[in-house]
Amino acid sequence: MLNHIVIMGRLTRDPELRRTGSGIAVASFTVAVDRDFGGRDGGEKETDFIDCVAWRQTGEFVSKYFTKGSMIVVSGRLQIRNWTDKDGNKRRTAEVVADNCYFGESKRSNEGNSSYGGNTYGGNSYGGNSYGNNNYGGNNYNAPAPSYGGYNAPAAAPASDFAMLDDDDAQLPF
């Protein structure tokens, strides 16, 4: 059987980190996930609020690096839990047990912003790369390599590192 779920959304509040009696870390948080489609009448998109729980190092990671409004990607499994409330009523809860959590946006685009309006998605600046103002459309291939979410693509090697081959097929290595 397969039980795997991946969701991406924004935290509705700061993660709550607790510890079990034996000292195991567990973080609880809720992710607001927009649906890809509007309501029946084609109106406003709806949002689902999905409860998540992360154990051990994953829970500590979420608690340390994510805050309310942060974009997060959660990969894990869906779990249905039965419990009894304080009035003795039987209840069921669905939650995502996180195996892995990832940053949904670069730190650069999230600094000082915790809402959609302050981020640069409308201007298409993902991870600090403004695709609308780049030099790809103008075929300026000498432009510096773009930075993707903290990773800098390696610059092109100088031409002096390459040796020209004659047209003779005997020099080919294959």
Side-chain angles (χ1 to χ4, degrees), residues 53-69:
V53 61
W55 292 85
R56 297 179 176 80
Q57 291 89 354
T58 305
E60 291 174 351
F61 171 76
V62 169
S63 175
K64 184 175 181 180
Y65 293 107
F66 291 89
T67 59
K68 177 181 178 179

Side-chain angles (χ1 to χ4, degrees), residues 44-98:
E44 242 180 270
K45 288 184 180 180
E46 294 182 29
T47 302
D48 294 308
F49 297 90
I50 301 172
D51 293 327
C52 300
V53 61
W55 292 85
R56 297 179 176 80
Q57 291 89 354
T58 305
E60 291 174 351
F61 171 76
V62 169
S63 175
K64 184 175 181 180
Y65 293 107
F66 291 89
T67 59
K68 177 181 178 179
S70 299
M71 181 73 73
I72 188 170
V73 178
V74 180
S75 172
R77 61 185 169 85
L78 184 64
Q79 175 178 287
I80 307 298
R81 216 169 21 94
N82 295 317
W83 55 283
T84 306
D85 66 11
K86 62 183 178 182
D87 297 328
N89 300 320
K90 292 187 177 189
R91 313 283 251 159
R92 289 177 62 128
T93 300
E95 61 190 4
V96 174
V97 179

